[in-house]
Amino acid sequence: VPSLQEWNTLINTLGGEMVAGGKLKSTGLDHWSLFNEQATNESGFSCLPGGISSSEANTFFLGENAYFWTTSVVNAFVVSGIRMNSTDGSVSEIQNPRTEGMSIRCIED
């Protein structure tokens, strides 16, 4: 699982926060339920909108947003994550409680 620094390296390589999300997202509307603005998948990453799940096993934003774990810890209860949404090509850092479920993307060292 990549650290926030490793995600930021990828994001910067793809042109920065405002456009990297589009280059990471899968194209079309097979998985994205609302929009899929600025999606090109030119990176080959094929990001899918898995949403986020709560500690009560409720799922939110499925088909709308993608959330990914990082190994970067904010404190004992919170970790940094990455978010991409359906409405634009951006990607951003988020901070979520450890009790919420997000997607993971493995990398090879």
Side-chain angles (χ1 to χ4, degrees):
V1 177
S3 67
L4 183 59
Q5 180 179 352
E6 289 168 316
W7 270 103
N8 284 330
T9 298
L10 174 62
I11 291 164
N12 291 331
T13 299
L14 294 174
E17 291 180 351
M18 297 307 294
V19 298
K23 295 176 181 181
L24 292 165
K25 294 190 305 180
S26 64
T27 58
L29 295 175
D30 289 341
H31 303 284
W32 296 86
S33 63
L34 295 175
F35 310 101
N36 195 7
E37 299 295 324
Q38 301 175 6
T40 65
N41 197 30
E42 70 181 71
S43 67
F45 187 88
S46 301
C47 173
L48 298 175
I52 194 166
S53 62
S54 69
S55 58
E56 294 83 26
N58 296 313
T59 302
F60 302 95
F61 306 112
L62 182 64
E64 298 174 30
N65 297 329
Y67 298 87
F68 290 92
W69 285 100
T70 75
T71 58
S72 301
V73 176
V74 175
N75 60 44
F77 305 101
V78 177
V79 296
S80 290
I82 295 295
R83 176 181 178 260
M84 287 170 258
N85 65 47
S86 60
T87 59
D88 62 31
S90 69
V91 59
S92 57
E93 177 189 350
I94 58 167
Q95 295 182 349
N96 274 0
R98 290 178 180 237
T99 57
E100 293 185 347
M102 298 184 281
S103 299
I104 62 168
R105 188 69 174 214
C106 298
I107 59 172
E108 185 176 337
D109 283 336

